[in-house]
Amino acid sequence: MAYRVQRLYQRWQTLPIRVRGTAIVAIPITCLFMALSAFAWLKASLVEDETWVQHTQTVRLETKQLLNALIDAETGVRGYGLTQREEFLAPYKQAQTIIPPSLNRLEKLVQDNAQQTQQMQKIRTLVDDNLEIFQQKLTLQRELKRIRGQTDILVPVASLHEWLEEGKLTMDQARQQIDRFAQTEEELLVQRIQHQDFYRQITWIVLCISVVFGTIAALFAVHLFYQLERELANREINLRETNQRLEIVCDQLQRFTANASHELRTP
């Protein structure tokens, strides 16, 4: 290992000064760009994870709204069936305006998930069946109210009991299907939050590594710069000494030439 380092150092010393200076300047710049690239990638991943977490939370809230609206519709119909008062139908009428848009929004939100899309199809079928049963119950109750007091009853009480039982079974199936759908979203939410936390931990690790690596690279670049500066200073000193020796030699040569010329002129 030491031999390889020495060979690398010798090769470094043979490089031109301009090349070495450029490499020294490039070290911190390269570290900076690497750190910025890593942070940009991690930031994009965190933003994507945050988007998926918010998306899952939106699906959960929309699912709760759908279930509450369906329960309100059932409660309104049952209340009307017990009291025959129109004000008890207010939750049912409001639920009719909430449920269809909520189903459409949920289908759009989970269209990228094949499993949830299939569950949404089942939920839509069950919800439509429940709404149809609720409407049948209202029609039956109003018809009974209209003919109440007459001996010829068009709709027998046994049919009413069968409709009530059918509605209860369908409502239970819809609740179970919505609960399974919501449970899947809960699991997805946990997974996406864990994935988000994992990338946050990686971000901190990369931050620490970038700080340490950047500090080492900066110190190494400073060391190489000082080494190059000392080399240039030594070269300058050697050049001055060489110039001084040349000047001395030139002076001696000039004196020798002057003496030789004088001797030749005056033998």
Side-chain angles (χ1 to χ4, degrees):
M1 184 67 182
Y3 175 75
R4 292 181 179 179
V5 173
Q6 186 177 3
R7 288 290 302 274
L8 184 61
Y9 179 75
Q10 291 176 354
R11 290 182 181 179
W12 170 259
Q13 291 293 330
T14 58
L15 294 175
I17 293 178
R18 180 180 299 177
V19 175
R20 283 186 283 172
T22 304
I24 292 172
V25 175
I27 290 175
I29 296 177
T30 302
C31 293
L32 177 62
F33 276 107
M34 290 176 61
L36 291 176
S37 300
F39 276 113
W41 177 72
L42 290 171
K43 181 64 176 178
S45 300
L46 287 175
V47 170
E48 183 180 1
D49 289 339
E50 182 65 26
T51 301
W52 279 112
V53 169
Q54 292 179 358
H55 175 273
T56 308
Q57 291 176 345
T58 302
V59 174
R60 291 172 62 244
L61 291 175
E62 196 68 43
T63 305
K64 290 181 180 178
Q65 182 179 4
L66 174 63
L67 181 59
N68 291 334
L70 191 61
I71 293 174
D72 290 342
E74 182 189 30
T75 303
V77 172
R78 287 183 178 273
Y80 177 78
L82 294 173
T83 62
Q84 302 297 318
R85 298 175 62 177
E86 291 290 334
E87 56 265 24
F88 281 93
L89 290 179
Y92 170 75
K93 295 178 180 178
Q94 184 177 4
Q96 282 186 319
T97 63
I98 295 176
I99 291 175
S102 181
L103 288 171
N104 295 332
R105 285 192 296 266
L106 282 173
E107 287 180 347
K108 290 181 180 179
L109 288 171
V110 300
Q111 62 184 356
D112 58 330
N113 191 328
Q115 180 182 357
Q116 291 294 79
T117 301
Q118 292 178 357
Q119 291 189 9
M120 274 305 305
Q121 293 175 355
K122 296 178 181 178
I123 290 174
R124 177 178 284 276
T125 301
L126 291 171
V127 170
D128 291 340
D129 292 342
N130 274 282
L131 293 178
E132 183 178 356
I133 291 173
F134 292 160
Q135 186 61 41
Q136 290 177 355
K137 288 181 180 180
L138 287 178
T139 303
L140 176 63
Q141 292 292 334
R142 286 171 176 170
E143 188 68 19
L144 287 174
K145 182 178 179 180
R146 184 179 64 83
I147 64 176
R148 181 169 294 174
Q150 299 181 9
T151 57
D152 186 12
I153 298 178
L154 299 179
V155 182
V157 178
S159 299
L160 174 60
H161 177 74
E162 292 176 358
W163 271 322
L164 290 175
E165 289 299 321
E166 180 184 3
K168 183 178 182 302
L169 179 61
T170 308
M171 187 65 184
D172 291 340
Q173 291 176 353
R175 287 180 179 177
Q176 292 174 2
Q177 189 65 37
I178 293 175
D179 289 339
R180 283 195 293 268
F181 180 86
Q183 182 63 33
T184 303
E185 290 296 325
E186 290 288 344
E187 294 173 357
L188 288 174
L189 180 61
V190 172
Q191 293 176 2
R192 288 165 180 173
I193 290 177
Q194 291 176 351
H195 191 267
Q196 186 181 27
D197 293 338
F198 174 72
Y199 269 93
R200 284 177 178 172
Q201 294 176 359
I202 291 180
T203 302
W204 281 107
I205 293 173
V206 171
L207 176 61
C208 296
I209 293 175
S210 299
V211 171
V212 174
F213 187 75
T215 302
I216 294 174
L219 294 175
F220 183 65
V222 171
H223 171 72
L224 292 178
F225 177 77
Y226 284 158
Q227 188 179 34
L228 183 60
E229 186 180 15
R230 286 197 302 269
E231 183 178 348
L232 291 175
N234 293 331
R235 287 190 179 187
E236 184 180 1
I237 293 172
N238 293 333
L239 183 59
R240 288 179 181 177
E241 292 177 353
T242 302
N243 288 335
Q244 290 177 358
R245 288 195 296 268
L246 288 174
E247 288 177 358
I248 294 172
V249 172
C250 288
D251 291 340
Q252 292 176 353
L253 181 61
Q254 287 178 358
R255 287 196 298 271
F256 173 78
T257 304
N259 293 333
S261 176
H262 178 71
E263 293 295 333
L264 292 173
R265 290 177 183 176
T266 57

